[in-house]
Amino acid sequence: MSGLQRLHVGARLSEAAMAGGTVWLAGQVPELSPEADIEGQTREVLGHIDRLLAECGSDKAHLVSVQIFLKDIADIGRMNAVWDAWVAPGQSPPRATVQAALADPRWRIEVVVVARQIGA
């Protein structure tokens, strides 16, 4: 497909894809701190998102939509405290947050992002 670029391509998935000025990130999970609490896991995942968006020519001010999956919805308040400190002021994207069984039982959070490239 012309105009489609994938980053960090693996056998099962790509971490990111870009086409027509839009960026899609795979679900980002806590790879370095799977034993951390929800705040630590959220900070790590948001760091992954920052890094991938930068590689794709975007940033958190250009988020189009976000889906957050929590192992336990009771974590939403503590997760939101980290989220609120991270999200670009005045640029909060449409967002859904749901409780879900995640692939690794140690994970407390997974985040899926769609964004626009800067200048697109």
Side-chain angles (χ1 to χ4, degrees), residues 5-94:
Q5 182 181 2
R6 300 179 198 281
L7 298 179
H8 307 288
V9 178
R12 181 164 292 135
L13 60 88
S14 297
E15 288 295 325
M18 299 171 286
T22 301
V23 176
W24 294 266
L25 300 186
Q28 297 302 302
V29 296
E31 298 169 353
L32 304 175
S33 60
E35 304 300 335
D37 61 15
I38 187 62
E39 292 93 345
Q41 287 194 9
T42 302
R43 279 190 288 277
E44 181 187 339
V45 166
L46 296 177
H48 293 321
I49 291 168
D50 281 334
R51 177 183 52 80
L52 285 167
L53 288 176
E55 286 184 58
C56 295
S58 186
D59 62 25
K60 62 188 172 188
H62 290 81
L63 296 174
V64 173
S65 68
V66 174
Q67 297 175 355
I68 300 174
F69 302 93
L70 296 176
K71 177 180 181 177
D72 184 347
I73 200 68
D75 285 341
I76 194 168
R78 292 169 36 221
M79 181 277 300
N80 274 336
V82 177
W83 170 270
D84 291 346
W86 174 81
V87 74
Q91 300 299 320
S92 301

Side-chain angles (χ1 to χ4, degrees), residues 21 57-58 62 116-120:
S58 186
H62 290 81
R116 292 292 290 169
Q117 290 179 304
I118 296 169

